[in-house]
């Protein structure tokens, strides 16, 4: 009886492994842990409870790659088989604190995940504008001149919101130095803080520019002004070029090395787009006027009209000319073939 009973039990135990006769598949081992830890079908609405191994019919649906990619779709069902939660909470992961976030997000995007991932657009930026009433946060060790100018403007708005009337006071300078989060800059400010807060406004500004932009910052900024070209600015707008160059010159002005009005105006004139300059000449604009403010105001108005009406027409004519040249070239090529 004992032998028969043991034989009967052994035959009952060996019955379930019958599906292992299916040809080997890499995804089968990954499915087995979940079957051992949770014999009950986690999704009875899709598979019958009678069959404990429904996934073996379609082993490719439980591959490790898909388990990672779709873990957010069956959080409660894949706890036993999902690796350490790399993607389980994408909304809580900051790209600034997670070096591997790029590789994680690529797998979910490849599978068209419907769950939105909070990817900060500021992860690679040198500084963060925290909005009105808040001081900016600076991440980089070195800054471009325009970045420093924007940071300073954002900080001055913060001082006005906080009712601080003296931007050169000791408290204001402490607040400004606290905006910088780069380790080397923080160490520099910690070591030189007592000396920096005692400097004159001009010397303090010069110390900031030398440390944050570089010791050759004056040469760099002057080159940005004198070598400017209107076409290199956004939409080729004269107003954007003027305001950008003015902000550069204000950096120089803060240390008493600004470009004078006459040279600044000559630089603006030399930087003009050729088509725009032709348009100004046709409009009878006197580009030699010595009144810089009136000259700039007039050119802003003319540039707005030029970019809105004249430039599209010039682009259309240039396109027609290009098509005509192509037609002639094709015609010549075709005639050569016939010869």
């Amino acid at each position: 009886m004992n032998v028969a009973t043991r034989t009967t039990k052994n035959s009952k135990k060996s019955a379930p492994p019958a599906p292992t006769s299916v040809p080997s598949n890499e995804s089968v081992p990954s499915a087995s842990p979940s079957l051992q830890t949770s014999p009950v079908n986690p999704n009875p609405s899709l598979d019958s409870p009678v069959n404990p191994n429904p996934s073996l019919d379609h082993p490719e649906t439980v591959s490790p790659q898909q388990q990672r990619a779709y873990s957010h779709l069956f959080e409660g069902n894949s706890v036993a088989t999902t690796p350490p939660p790399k993607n389980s909470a994408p909304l809580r992961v900051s790209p600034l604190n997670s070096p591997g976030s790029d590789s994680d997000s690529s797998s979910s995007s490849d599978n068209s995940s419907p769950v939105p991932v909070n990817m900060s657009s500021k992860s690679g930026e040198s500084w963060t504008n925290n909005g009105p009433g808040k001081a900016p946060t600076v991440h980089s060790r070195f800054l471009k001149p325009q970045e420093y100018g924007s940071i300073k403007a954002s900080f001055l708005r913060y001082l006005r919101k906080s009712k601080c009337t003296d931007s050169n006071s000791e408290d204001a300078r402490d607040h400004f130095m606290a905006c910088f989060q780069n380790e080397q800059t923080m160490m520099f400010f910690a070591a030189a803080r007592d000396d920096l807060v005692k400097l004159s406004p001009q010397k303090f500004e010069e110390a900031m520019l030398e440390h944050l932009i570089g010791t050759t910052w004056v040469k760099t900024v002057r080159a940005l002004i004198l070598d400017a070209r209107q076409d290199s600015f956004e939409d080729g707008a004269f107003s954007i070029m003027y305001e950008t160059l003015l902000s550069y010159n204000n950096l120089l002005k803060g240390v008493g090395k600004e470009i004078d009005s006459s040279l600044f105006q000559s630089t603006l004139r030399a930087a003009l787009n050729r088509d725009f300059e032709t348009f100004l000449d046709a409009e009878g604009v006197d580009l030699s006027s010595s009144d810089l403010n009136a000259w700039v105001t007039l050119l802003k108005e003319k540039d707005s009209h030029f970019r809105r009406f004249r430039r599209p027409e010039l682009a259309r004519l240039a396109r027609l000319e290009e098509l005509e040249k192509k037609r002639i070239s094709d015609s010549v090529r075709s005639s050569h073939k016939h010869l």
Side-chain angles (χ1 to χ4, degrees):
M1 291 294 292
N2 293 337
V3 174
T5 303
R6 189 178 301 111
T7 302
T8 304
K9 291 180 178 180
N10 290 338
S11 63
K12 291 180 180 179
K13 292 180 179 179
S14 60
T20 59
S21 61
V22 177
S24 61
N25 188 297
E26 293 179 357
S27 59
V28 171
S30 64
S32 58
S34 62
L35 297 177
Q36 293 173 0
T37 56
S38 180
V40 180
N41 183 9
N43 196 348
S45 63
L46 299 176
D47 300 296
S48 172
V50 178
N51 181 10
N53 300 323
S55 61
L56 293 178
D57 295 335
H58 303 284
E60 69 277 8
T61 59
V62 290
S63 67
Q65 293 82 359
Q66 289 177 321
Q67 287 176 353
R68 287 194 295 270
Y70 291 102
S71 61
H72 55 276
L73 298 179
F74 44 89
E75 295 176 346
N77 301 334
S78 59
V79 174
T81 60
T82 305
K86 210 171 187 181
N87 295 334
S88 57
L91 294 177
R92 301 176 190 172
V93 178
S94 170
L96 295 176
N97 300 324
S98 177
S101 60
D102 291 341
S103 59
D104 296 340
S105 62
S106 62
S107 62
S108 61
S109 62
D110 291 342
N111 291 281
S112 301
S113 167
V115 178
V117 180
N118 185 19
M119 297 297 291
S120 173
S121 61
K122 299 181 180 179
S123 58
E125 294 184 1
S126 58
W127 71 288
T128 302
N129 186 346
N130 296 314
K134 296 182 180 179
T137 304
V138 186
H139 316 293
S140 297
R141 164 65 179 87
F142 288 104
L143 300 170
K144 297 177 182 178
Q146 61 267 34
E147 291 174 335
Y148 179 83
S150 299
I151 290 167
K152 193 69 181 290
S154 177
F155 179 74
L156 291 176
R157 287 197 303 269
Y158 158 72
L159 289 183
R160 287 193 290 270
K161 288 285 185 179
S162 60
K163 307 301 182 183
C164 180
T165 57
D166 186 3
S167 60
N168 293 304
S169 65
E170 185 173 330
D171 287 341
R173 292 182 177 181
D174 279 333
H175 284 308
F176 183 69
M177 290 186 283
C179 296
F180 296 83
Q181 301 301 310
N182 178 270
E183 183 178 358
Q184 294 182 24
T185 304
M186 293 171 67
M187 291 173 62
F188 167 74
F189 286 155
R193 184 265 174 195
D194 291 342
D195 293 329
L196 289 172
V197 297
K198 296 176 182 177
L199 294 175
S200 66
Q202 180 174 320
K203 291 296 183 182
F204 177 80
E205 186 72 4
E206 191 167 0
M208 295 296 100
L209 291 165
E210 285 186 358
H211 178 75
L212 297 169
I213 298 178
T215 55
T216 61
W217 74 270
V218 174
K219 181 179 179 181
T220 300
V221 172
R222 288 181 67 92
L224 287 172
I225 297 174
L226 298 176
D227 298 337
R229 292 295 177 267
Q230 183 177 354
D231 291 334
S232 65
F233 293 87
E234 182 181 354
D235 197 30
F238 174 82
S239 59
I240 294 178
M241 178 181 70
Y242 168 72
E243 290 158 7
T244 302
L245 298 188
L246 184 63
S247 67
Y248 291 156
N249 206 31
N250 285 338
L251 294 180
L252 296 172
K253 187 176 181 180
V255 296
K257 297 180 180 180
E258 73 274 18
I259 295 175
D260 61 55
S261 298
S262 177
L263 179 57
F264 189 73
Q265 183 175 355
S266 299
T267 300
L268 289 172
R269 179 175 178 178
L272 294 178
N273 173 279
R274 185 172 300 176
D275 290 332
F276 180 47
E277 191 171 5
T278 301
F279 172 78
L280 292 174
D281 184 64
E283 291 286 309
V285 176
D286 183 10
L287 294 177
S288 63
S289 173
S290 59
D291 188 343
L292 177 60
N293 292 332
W295 187 82
V296 167
T297 300
L298 179 60
L299 261 64
K300 284 182 177 181
E301 295 175 358
K302 294 296 183 179
D303 179 62
S304 178
H305 179 85
F306 172 78
R307 288 186 295 110
R308 184 176 180 182
F309 300 105
R310 181 58 178 161
R311 177 179 284 179
E313 178 65 16
L314 291 174
R316 187 182 70 84
L317 293 175
R319 178 58 177 165
L320 290 175
E321 183 178 356
E322 180 182 349
L323 292 174
E324 180 64 16
K325 288 180 179 179
K326 185 177 182 302
R327 186 190 66 79
I328 295 174
S329 176
D330 292 343
S331 178
V332 172
R333 191 180 298 110
S334 177
S335 63
H336 286 175
K337 285 183 179 180
H338 286 83
L339 294 176

